Amino acid sequence: MMADFEKINWFQDFPETDGIPFAGYYWGANSSDITLNSFDSDKPLMVSGVVENSQGFVTVSRDNYLNTQYKSPVALTVAGVMRRAAAGGVVNTYAVADFSGAGTNAHGFGIAAAPDGRFLVALQNAGSSSPSYAYASFPESIKVGDFFAFTSFIRQGTITIAIYDTATGKYVSSASAVPGNIAGGDKNILIGCKTDNNNSALSNDIKSLVLINGSLTADQHIAVQKYLLEMA
């Protein structure tokens, strides 16, 4: 079938943003190629383990994950749609990350489900003793097991995590200051785990993900979150 060879841009009408989208992945049930990067079809995802989207999303974990083949720019916005996990466990379960190392030798960012059920973004700059975290609590409109839209902004000095609230048409967010000087990433951004020291065996269900070089205005965050949630 000719359709088997077509490269579909699932994000043709993606909202205008101040940042530049450079990678976009959609895993709805009608997507026949889970590796497709809609913003650059010549740079597909690499699959480790077993990952498929027959249920209209991918389930990723430390053993079954996706490698974007991209390293993080200094200012990175991550946007996506994933399922809210139940609270539990003793370690963060990373959904998107380039975090590597441990202790004072660790560096990089991670977006994760926290053990207490909140959603977080973490960043540790090289030379810092520990990561900085920003935690967002889920609004009442999003129950455990629901899919939700989020954006996270990693930039010089601050990290932000934001969750779209369908009841208000706005987002709930949290920001945290980060000491040190952020540099461009030196490890590939992974979907499903961090680079090493993956102590959590839990998984994440994700429907879509977009990587953007640069920042978004508050209205642009909402537009992107709403767009992704509606296409999912």
mmCIF file with all atom_site columns, all heavy atoms in Angstrom, residues 176-199:
data_model
loop_
_atom_site.group_PDB
_atom_site.id
_atom_site.type_symbol
_atom_site.label_atom_id
_atom_site.label_alt_id
_atom_site.label_comp_id
_atom_site.label_asym_id
_atom_site.label_entity_id
_atom_site.label_seq_id
_atom_site.pdbx_PDB_ins_code
_atom_site.Cartn_x
_atom_site.Cartn_y
_atom_site.Cartn_z
_atom_site.occupancy
_atom_site.B_iso_or_equiv
_atom_site.pdbx_formal_charge
_atom_site.auth_seq_id
_atom_site.auth_comp_id
_atom_site.auth_asym_id
_atom_site.auth_atom_id
_atom_site.pdbx_PDB_model_num
ATOM 1   N N   . SER A 1 176 ? 10.713 26.533 40.044 1.00 0.00 ? 176 SER A N   1
ATOM 2   C CA  . SER A 1 176 ? 11.756 26.443 41.060 1.00 0.00 ? 176 SER A CA  1
ATOM 3   C C   . SER A 1 176 ? 13.048 27.022 40.503 1.00 0.00 ? 176 SER A C   1
ATOM 4   O O   . SER A 1 176 ? 13.366 26.851 39.314 1.00 0.00 ? 176 SER A O   1
ATOM 5   C CB  . SER A 1 176 ? 11.974 24.975 41.458 1.00 0.00 ? 176 SER A CB  1
ATOM 6   O OG  . SER A 1 176 ? 12.963 24.862 42.459 1.00 0.00 ? 176 SER A OG  1
ATOM 7   N N   . ALA A 1 177 ? 13.785 27.715 41.369 1.00 0.00 ? 177 ALA A N   1
ATOM 8   C CA  . ALA A 1 177 ? 15.083 28.255 40.971 1.00 0.00 ? 177 ALA A CA  1
ATOM 9   C C   . ALA A 1 177 ? 16.117 27.136 40.935 1.00 0.00 ? 177 ALA A C   1
ATOM 10  O O   . ALA A 1 177 ? 16.051 26.180 41.718 1.00 0.00 ? 177 ALA A O   1
ATOM 11  C CB  . ALA A 1 177 ? 15.522 29.347 41.945 1.00 0.00 ? 177 ALA A CB  1
ATOM 12  N N   . VAL A 1 178 ? 17.060 27.257 40.018 1.00 0.00 ? 178 VAL A N   1
ATOM 13  C CA  . VAL A 1 178 ? 18.101 26.242 39.850 1.00 0.00 ? 178 VAL A CA  1
ATOM 14  C C   . VAL A 1 178 ? 19.470 26.908 39.929 1.00 0.00 ? 178 VAL A C   1
ATOM 15  O O   . VAL A 1 178 ? 19.780 27.790 39.121 1.00 0.00 ? 178 VAL A O   1
ATOM 16  C CB  . VAL A 1 178 ? 17.963 25.524 38.493 1.00 0.00 ? 178 VAL A CB  1
ATOM 17  C CG1 . VAL A 1 178 ? 19.043 24.459 38.345 1.00 0.00 ? 178 VAL A CG1 1
ATOM 18  C CG2 . VAL A 1 178 ? 16.584 24.919 38.346 1.00 0.00 ? 178 VAL A CG2 1
ATOM 19  N N   . PRO A 1 179 ? 20.307 26.523 40.891 1.00 0.00 ? 179 PRO A N   1
ATOM 20  C CA  . PRO A 1 179 ? 21.644 27.105 40.974 1.00 0.00 ? 179 PRO A CA  1
ATOM 21  C C   . PRO A 1 179 ? 22.567 26.582 39.874 1.00 0.00 ? 179 PRO A C   1
ATOM 22  O O   . PRO A 1 179 ? 22.328 25.510 39.304 1.00 0.00 ? 179 PRO A O   1
ATOM 23  C CB  . PRO A 1 179 ? 22.142 26.650 42.348 1.00 0.00 ? 179 PRO A CB  1
ATOM 24  C CG  . PRO A 1 179 ? 21.421 25.351 42.584 1.00 0.00 ? 179 PRO A CG  1
ATOM 25  C CD  . PRO A 1 179 ? 20.061 25.538 41.953 1.00 0.00 ? 179 PRO A CD  1
ATOM 26  N N   . GLY A 1 180 ? 23.578 27.337 39.580 1.00 0.00 ? 180 GLY A N   1
ATOM 27  C CA  . GLY A 1 180 ? 24.553 26.903 38.590 1.00 0.00 ? 180 GLY A CA  1
ATOM 28  C C   . GLY A 1 180 ? 24.220 27.388 37.197 1.00 0.00 ? 180 GLY A C   1
ATOM 29  O O   . GLY A 1 180 ? 23.256 28.131 36.985 1.00 0.00 ? 180 GLY A O   1
ATOM 30  N N   . ASN A 1 181 ? 24.998 26.945 36.234 1.00 0.00 ? 181 ASN A N   1
ATOM 31  C CA  . ASN A 1 181 ? 24.876 27.408 34.860 1.00 0.00 ? 181 ASN A CA  1
ATOM 32  C C   . ASN A 1 181 ? 24.472 26.244 33.969 1.00 0.00 ? 181 ASN A C   1
ATOM 33  O O   . ASN A 1 181 ? 25.210 25.268 33.835 1.00 0.00 ? 181 ASN A O   1
ATOM 34  C CB  . ASN A 1 181 ? 26.208 28.000 34.385 1.00 0.00 ? 181 ASN A CB  1
ATOM 35  C CG  . ASN A 1 181 ? 26.102 28.633 33.024 1.00 0.00 ? 181 ASN A CG  1
ATOM 36  O OD1 . ASN A 1 181 ? 25.230 29.464 32.800 1.00 0.00 ? 181 ASN A OD1 1
ATOM 37  N ND2 . ASN A 1 181 ? 26.976 28.240 32.113 1.00 0.00 ? 181 ASN A ND2 1
ATOM 38  N N   . ILE A 1 182 ? 23.287 26.332 33.374 1.00 0.00 ? 182 ILE A N   1
ATOM 39  C CA  . ILE A 1 182 ? 22.822 25.256 32.508 1.00 0.00 ? 182 ILE A CA  1
ATOM 40  C C   . ILE A 1 182 ? 23.567 25.291 31.175 1.00 0.00 ? 182 ILE A C   1
ATOM 41  O O   . ILE A 1 182 ? 23.829 26.357 30.609 1.00 0.00 ? 182 ILE A O   1
ATOM 42  C CB  . ILE A 1 182 ? 21.295 25.354 32.288 1.00 0.00 ? 182 ILE A CB  1
ATOM 43  C CG1 . ILE A 1 182 ? 20.792 24.127 31.522 1.00 0.00 ? 182 ILE A CG1 1
ATOM 44  C CG2 . ILE A 1 182 ? 20.913 26.616 31.541 1.00 0.00 ? 182 ILE A CG2 1
ATOM 45  C CD1 . ILE A 1 182 ? 19.283 24.054 31.425 1.00 0.00 ? 182 ILE A CD1 1
ATOM 46  N N   . ALA A 1 183 ? 23.932 24.116 30.713 1.00 0.00 ? 183 ALA A N   1
ATOM 47  C CA  . ALA A 1 183 ? 24.581 23.970 29.408 1.00 0.00 ? 183 ALA A CA  1
ATOM 48  C C   . ALA A 1 183 ? 23.707 23.081 28.541 1.00 0.00 ? 183 ALA A C   1
ATOM 49  O O   . ALA A 1 183 ? 22.779 22.427 29.028 1.00 0.00 ? 183 ALA A O   1
ATOM 50  C CB  . ALA A 1 183 ? 25.966 23.359 29.581 1.00 0.00 ? 183 ALA A CB  1
ATOM 51  N N   . GLY A 1 184 ? 23.984 23.057 27.257 1.00 0.00 ? 184 GLY A N   1
ATOM 52  C CA  . GLY A 1 184 ? 23.268 22.143 26.382 1.00 0.00 ? 184 GLY A CA  1
ATOM 53  C C   . GLY A 1 184 ? 23.515 20.711 26.819 1.00 0.00 ? 184 GLY A C   1
ATOM 54  O O   . GLY A 1 184 ? 24.564 20.382 27.394 1.00 0.00 ? 184 GLY A O   1
ATOM 55  N N   . GLY A 1 185 ? 22.535 19.843 26.579 1.00 0.00 ? 185 GLY A N   1
ATOM 56  C CA  . GLY A 1 185 ? 22.654 18.460 27.017 1.00 0.00 ? 185 GLY A CA  1
ATOM 57  C C   . GLY A 1 185 ? 23.774 17.707 26.321 1.00 0.00 ? 185 GLY A C   1
ATOM 58  O O   . GLY A 1 185 ? 24.117 18.002 25.171 1.00 0.00 ? 185 GLY A O   1
ATOM 59  N N   . ASP A 1 186 ? 24.347 16.723 27.018 1.00 0.00 ? 186 ASP A N   1
ATOM 60  C CA  . ASP A 1 186 ? 25.378 15.889 26.409 1.00 0.00 ? 186 ASP A CA  1
ATOM 61  C C   . ASP A 1 186 ? 24.944 14.426 26.280 1.00 0.00 ? 186 ASP A C   1
ATOM 62  O O   . ASP A 1 186 ? 25.722 13.579 25.872 1.00 0.00 ? 186 ASP A O   1
ATOM 63  C CB  . ASP A 1 186 ? 26.694 15.980 27.189 1.00 0.00 ? 186 ASP A CB  1
ATOM 64  C CG  . ASP A 1 186 ? 26.563 15.536 28.641 1.00 0.00 ? 186 ASP A CG  1
ATOM 65  O OD1 . ASP A 1 186 ? 25.450 15.144 29.048 1.00 0.00 ? 186 ASP A OD1 1
ATOM 66  O OD2 . ASP A 1 186 ? 27.574 15.580 29.370 1.00 0.00 ? 186 ASP A OD2 1
ATOM 67  N N   . LYS A 1 187 ? 23.697 14.141 26.633 1.00 0.00 ? 187 LYS A N   1
ATOM 68  C CA  . LYS A 1 187 ? 23.118 12.810 26.462 1.00 0.00 ? 187 LYS A CA  1
ATOM 69  C C   . LYS A 1 187 ? 21.822 12.942 25.664 1.00 0.00 ? 187 LYS A C   1
ATOM 70  O O   . LYS A 1 187 ? 21.136 13.957 25.732 1.00 0.00 ? 187 LYS A O   1
ATOM 71  C CB  . LYS A 1 187 ? 22.802 12.166 27.814 1.00 0.00 ? 187 LYS A CB  1
ATOM 72  C CG  . LYS A 1 187 ? 24.014 11.975 28.730 1.00 0.00 ? 187 LYS A CG  1
ATOM 73  C CD  . LYS A 1 187 ? 24.946 10.908 28.185 1.00 0.00 ? 187 LYS A CD  1
ATOM 74  C CE  . LYS A 1 187 ? 26.028 10.526 29.195 1.00 0.00 ? 187 LYS A CE  1
ATOM 75  N NZ  . LYS A 1 187 ? 26.902 11.664 29.585 1.00 0.00 ? 187 LYS A NZ  1
ATOM 76  N N   . ASN A 1 188 ? 21.463 11.916 24.921 1.00 0.00 ? 188 ASN A N   1
ATOM 77  C CA  . ASN A 1 188 ? 20.229 11.952 24.159 1.00 0.00 ? 188 ASN A CA  1
ATOM 78  C C   . ASN A 1 188 ? 19.016 12.012 25.089 1.00 0.00 ? 188 ASN A C   1
ATOM 79  O O   . ASN A 1 188 ? 19.014 11.396 26.163 1.00 0.00 ? 188 ASN A O   1
ATOM 80  C CB  . ASN A 1 188 ? 20.104 10.713 23.271 1.00 0.00 ? 188 ASN A CB  1
ATOM 81  C CG  . ASN A 1 188 ? 21.029 10.763 22.074 1.00 0.00 ? 188 ASN A CG  1
ATOM 82  O OD1 . ASN A 1 188 ? 21.634 11.789 21.783 1.00 0.00 ? 188 ASN A OD1 1
ATOM 83  N ND2 . ASN A 1 188 ? 21.143 9.648  21.368 1.00 0.00 ? 188 ASN A ND2 1
ATOM 84  N N   . ILE A 1 189 ? 17.986 12.751 24.659 1.00 0.00 ? 189 ILE A N   1
ATOM 85  C CA  . ILE A 1 189 ? 16.726 12.795 25.398 1.00 0.00 ? 189 ILE A CA  1
ATOM 86  C C   . ILE A 1 189 ? 15.990 11.469 25.178 1.00 0.00 ? 189 ILE A C   1
ATOM 87  O O   . ILE A 1 189 ? 15.773 11.054 24.043 1.00 0.00 ? 189 ILE A O   1
ATOM 88  C CB  . ILE A 1 189 ? 15.853 13.964 24.918 1.00 0.00 ? 189 ILE A CB  1
ATOM 89  C CG1 . ILE A 1 189 ? 16.571 15.304 25.159 1.00 0.00 ? 189 ILE A CG1 1
ATOM 90  C CG2 . ILE A 1 189 ? 14.499 13.956 25.618 1.00 0.00 ? 189 ILE A CG2 1
ATOM 91  C CD1 . ILE A 1 189 ? 15.894 16.487 24.503 1.00 0.00 ? 189 ILE A CD1 1
ATOM 92  N N   . LEU A 1 190 ? 15.623 10.817 26.282 1.00 0.00 ? 190 LEU A N   1
ATOM 93  C CA  . LEU A 1 190 ? 14.930 9.538  26.221 1.00 0.00 ? 190 LEU A CA  1
ATOM 94  C C   . LEU A 1 190 ? 13.471 9.703  26.633 1.00 0.00 ? 190 LEU A C   1
ATOM 95  O O   . LEU A 1 190 ? 13.150 10.553 27.464 1.00 0.00 ? 190 LEU A O   1
ATOM 96  C CB  . LEU A 1 190 ? 15.606 8.523  27.147 1.00 0.00 ? 190 LEU A CB  1
ATOM 97  C CG  . LEU A 1 190 ? 17.100 8.278  26.941 1.00 0.00 ? 190 LEU A CG  1
ATOM 98  C CD1 . LEU A 1 190 ? 17.603 7.233  27.935 1.00 0.00 ? 190 LEU A CD1 1
ATOM 99  C CD2 . LEU A 1 190 ? 17.405 7.846  25.510 1.00 0.00 ? 190 LEU A CD2 1
ATOM 100 N N   . ILE A 1 191 ? 12.610 8.879  26.076 1.00 0.00 ? 191 ILE A N   1
ATOM 101 C CA  . ILE A 1 191 ? 11.193 8.862  26.430 1.00 0.00 ? 191 ILE A CA  1
ATOM 102 C C   . ILE A 1 191 ? 10.921 7.539  27.125 1.00 0.00 ? 191 ILE A C   1
ATOM 103 O O   . ILE A 1 191 ? 10.946 6.485  26.501 1.00 0.00 ? 191 ILE A O   1
ATOM 104 C CB  . ILE A 1 191 ? 10.302 9.013  25.182 1.00 0.00 ? 191 ILE A CB  1
ATOM 105 C CG1 . ILE A 1 191 ? 10.658 10.298 24.422 1.00 0.00 ? 191 ILE A CG1 1
ATOM 106 C CG2 . ILE A 1 191 ? 8.825  9.009  25.564 1.00 0.00 ? 191 ILE A CG2 1
ATOM 107 C CD1 . ILE A 1 191 ? 10.002 10.414 23.062 1.00 0.00 ? 191 ILE A CD1 1
ATOM 108 N N   . GLY A 1 192 ? 10.726 7.597  28.446 1.00 0.00 ? 192 GLY A N   1
ATOM 109 C CA  . GLY A 1 192 ? 10.442 6.400  29.213 1.00 0.00 ? 192 GLY A CA  1
ATOM 110 C C   . GLY A 1 192 ? 11.361 6.154  30.382 1.00 0.00 ? 192 GLY A C   1
ATOM 111 O O   . GLY A 1 192 ? 11.031 5.384  31.283 1.00 0.00 ? 192 GLY A O   1
ATOM 112 N N   . CYS A 1 193 ? 12.518 6.820  30.393 1.00 0.00 ? 193 CYS A N   1
ATOM 113 C CA  . CYS A 1 193 ? 13.465 6.608  31.484 1.00 0.00 ? 193 CYS A CA  1
ATOM 114 C C   . CYS A 1 193 ? 14.554 7.660  31.420 1.00 0.00 ? 193 CYS A C   1
ATOM 115 O O   . CYS A 1 193 ? 14.575 8.489  30.513 1.00 0.00 ? 193 CYS A O   1
ATOM 116 C CB  . CYS A 1 193 ? 14.077 5.212  31.423 1.00 0.00 ? 193 CYS A CB  1
ATOM 117 S SG  . CYS A 1 193 ? 15.028 4.882  29.908 1.00 0.00 ? 193 CYS A SG  1
ATOM 118 N N   . LYS A 1 194 ? 15.457 7.645  32.399 1.00 0.00 ? 194 LYS A N   1
ATOM 119 C CA  . LYS A 1 194 ? 16.637 8.490  32.320 1.00 0.00 ? 194 LYS A CA  1
ATOM 120 C C   . LYS A 1 194 ? 17.804 7.658  31.821 1.00 0.00 ? 194 LYS A C   1
ATOM 121 O O   . LYS A 1 194 ? 17.686 6.456  31.596 1.00 0.00 ? 194 LYS A O   1
ATOM 122 C CB  . LYS A 1 194 ? 16.927 9.158  33.658 1.00 0.00 ? 194 LYS A CB  1
ATOM 123 C CG  . LYS A 1 194 ? 17.037 8.260  34.856 1.00 0.00 ? 194 LYS A CG  1
ATOM 124 C CD  . LYS A 1 194 ? 16.990 9.078  36.136 1.00 0.00 ? 194 LYS A CD  1
ATOM 125 C CE  . LYS A 1 194 ? 16.972 8.194  37.374 1.00 0.00 ? 194 LYS A CE  1
ATOM 126 N NZ  . LYS A 1 194 ? 18.212 8.137  38.089 1.00 0.00 ? 194 LYS A NZ  1
ATOM 127 N N   . THR A 1 195 ? 18.949 8.283  31.628 1.00 0.00 ? 195 THR A N   1
ATOM 128 C CA  . THR A 1 195 ? 20.069 7.621  30.956 1.00 0.00 ? 195 THR A CA  1
ATOM 129 C C   . THR A 1 195 ? 20.597 6.427  31.731 1.00 0.00 ? 195 THR A C   1
ATOM 130 O O   . THR A 1 195 ? 20.943 5.399  31.152 1.00 0.00 ? 195 THR A O   1
ATOM 131 C CB  . THR A 1 195 ? 21.203 8.634  30.716 1.00 0.00 ? 195 THR A CB  1
ATOM 132 O OG1 . THR A 1 195 ? 20.691 9.730  29.946 1.00 0.00 ? 195 THR A OG1 1
ATOM 133 C CG2 . THR A 1 195 ? 22.365 8.001  29.987 1.00 0.00 ? 195 THR A CG2 1
ATOM 134 N N   . ASP A 1 196 ? 20.654 6.536  33.059 1.00 0.00 ? 196 ASP A N   1
ATOM 135 C CA  . ASP A 1 196 ? 21.194 5.447  33.878 1.00 0.00 ? 196 ASP A CA  1
ATOM 136 C C   . ASP A 1 196 ? 20.562 5.494  35.264 1.00 0.00 ? 196 ASP A C   1
ATOM 137 O O   . ASP A 1 196 ? 19.719 6.344  35.551 1.00 0.00 ? 196 ASP A O   1
ATOM 138 C CB  . ASP A 1 196 ? 22.725 5.536  33.969 1.00 0.00 ? 196 ASP A CB  1
ATOM 139 C CG  . ASP A 1 196 ? 23.218 6.922  34.403 1.00 0.00 ? 196 ASP A CG  1
ATOM 140 O OD1 . ASP A 1 196 ? 22.438 7.672  35.030 1.00 0.00 ? 196 ASP A OD1 1
ATOM 141 O OD2 . ASP A 1 196 ? 24.382 7.254  34.125 1.00 0.00 ? 196 ASP A OD2 1
ATOM 142 N N   . ASN A 1 197 ? 20.949 4.552  36.121 1.00 0.00 ? 197 ASN A N   1
ATOM 143 C CA  . ASN A 1 197 ? 20.441 4.493  37.509 1.00 0.00 ? 197 ASN A CA  1
ATOM 144 C C   . ASN A 1 197 ? 18.919 4.528  37.561 1.00 0.00 ? 197 ASN A C   1
ATOM 145 O O   . ASN A 1 197 ? 18.322 5.251  38.362 1.00 0.00 ? 197 ASN A O   1
ATOM 146 C CB  . ASN A 1 197 ? 21.018 5.646  38.334 1.00 0.00 ? 197 ASN A CB  1
ATOM 147 C CG  . ASN A 1 197 ? 22.534 5.600  38.397 1.00 0.00 ? 197 ASN A CG  1
ATOM 148 O OD1 . ASN A 1 197 ? 23.114 4.542  38.617 1.00 0.00 ? 197 ASN A OD1 1
ATOM 149 N ND2 . ASN A 1 197 ? 23.182 6.732  38.187 1.00 0.00 ? 197 ASN A ND2 1
ATOM 150 N N   . ASN A 1 198 ? 18.289 3.728  36.719 1.00 0.00 ? 198 ASN A N   1
ATOM 151 C CA  . ASN A 1 198 ? 16.826 3.669  36.677 1.00 0.00 ? 198 ASN A CA  1
ATOM 152 C C   . ASN A 1 198 ? 16.317 2.674  37.718 1.00 0.00 ? 198 ASN A C   1
ATOM 153 O O   . ASN A 1 198 ? 16.181 1.481  37.445 1.00 0.00 ? 198 ASN A O   1
ATOM 154 C CB  . ASN A 1 198 ? 16.353 3.273  35.275 1.00 0.00 ? 198 ASN A CB  1
ATOM 155 C CG  . ASN A 1 198 ? 16.545 4.387  34.274 1.00 0.00 ? 198 ASN A CG  1
ATOM 156 O OD1 . ASN A 1 198 ? 15.831 5.374  34.308 1.00 0.00 ? 198 ASN A OD1 1
ATOM 157 N ND2 . ASN A 1 198 ? 17.508 4.233  33.388 1.00 0.00 ? 198 ASN A ND2 1
ATOM 158 N N   . ASN A 1 199 ? 16.017 3.190  38.902 1.00 0.00 ? 199 ASN A N   1
ATOM 159 C CA  . ASN A 1 199 ? 15.607 2.322  40.003 1.00 0.00 ? 199 ASN A CA  1
ATOM 160 C C   . ASN A 1 199 ? 14.126 1.987  39.988 1.00 0.00 ? 199 ASN A C   1
ATOM 161 O O   . ASN A 1 199 ? 13.683 1.067  40.660 1.00 0.00 ? 199 ASN A O   1
ATOM 162 C CB  . ASN A 1 199 ? 15.962 2.983  41.335 1.00 0.00 ? 199 ASN A CB  1
ATOM 163 C CG  . ASN A 1 199 ? 17.465 3.194  41.477 1.00 0.00 ? 199 ASN A CG  1
ATOM 164 O OD1 . ASN A 1 199 ? 18.245 2.316  41.142 1.00 0.00 ? 199 ASN A OD1 1
ATOM 165 N ND2 . ASN A 1 199 ? 17.862 4.362  41.943 1.00 0.00 ? 199 ASN A ND2 1
#
